[in-house]
Structures are given as structure tokens and as C-alpha cells.
Amino acid sequence: MLTGIDHVQIAIPALGEEEARRFYVDVLGFSEVPKPAELAARGGGWFELGSLRLHLGVDKDFHPAAKAHIAFLTSDLATLIARARAGGYRLVEDAPIDGYDRIFVFDPFGNRIELMQPK
């Protein structure tokens, strides 16, 4: 029986780690944590923010997740939007959902991420 989610993984292209850090650390507020030595040679990165754990995995045949996405809850959507705009990242509004303010932001590689703030 499932009891929770340990982490989510997003694919990135080879040599995309620095761009990924700028987005996931500077815009979304994650901190990078060391990968286990046996996995470090694969590239990518591991990031944490509170109980959230995000893994970025290098995919040699990378294609962005333009429809599938992660939805992160936030308590300060306006700040995340401002950081994304300042960094030049693409933001897209979508149909409203009762009880939430939300927006989609695309990471440097075109992966779609939903940011949701409960009203």
C-alpha cells in the first residue's frame, strides 16, 4: 500500500545543471543537497525545500514535459511570479480553479511547473 511520495524527478538535458540551479534555487527557493557518491557521476542534482524533495535527472534524449507537470503549493505566489519574471522565465495563466490562485512557469528547458496558492 502506498503511504506517500519520497521525491519527484524532472528530466533535464545534459550539461543543464547550472541553468537548473538558477531556476530551482534562485526562483523556487530549493537548496541543493549532495547526491550519493554512486549516483553523482550521472549528473543532474537533488534539491530540497522543507519536506519537498526534487531530483533532476539528465536524459540523453531529453524532451521537455510540456503537458505533464508537478504542482507545487505556495504561500507567496506573487514573490515566485516576480522572481520568474525577473529571471526571464515563461509564465502562462490557465483557467481558474476554485480555491486557488495559480500559474504555470516553465523551467529553462521547457518543463511545465504549476504554482498554486490556496485562497
Side-chain angles (χ1 to χ4, degrees), residues 36-119:
E38 59 273 13
L39 301 179
R42 297 179 183 178
W46 286 13
F47 299 83
E48 294 182 358
L49 178 60
S51 64
L52 301 174
R53 295 194 301 186
L54 174 67
H55 294 179
L56 302 181
V58 172
D59 185 343
K60 292 177 186 172
D61 188 33
F62 174 76
H63 299 282
K67 179 66 176 173
H69 63 277
I70 298 168
F72 290 120
L73 293 173
T74 180
S75 61
D76 193 352
L77 185 60
T79 294
L80 294 178
I81 290 171
R83 287 181 189 166
R85 282 196 178 122
Y89 297 102
R90 181 174 163 225
L91 293 158
V92 175
E93 294 184 19
D94 199 39
I97 294 178
D98 285 342
Y100 293 92
D101 290 321
R102 70 188 189 119
I103 197 161
F104 289 99
V105 61
F106 290 79
D107 78 1
F109 318 108
N111 292 311
R112 183 170 83 149
I113 297 167
E114 187 172 7
L115 304 173
M116 304 177 70
Q117 181 172 345
K119 291 186 179 184

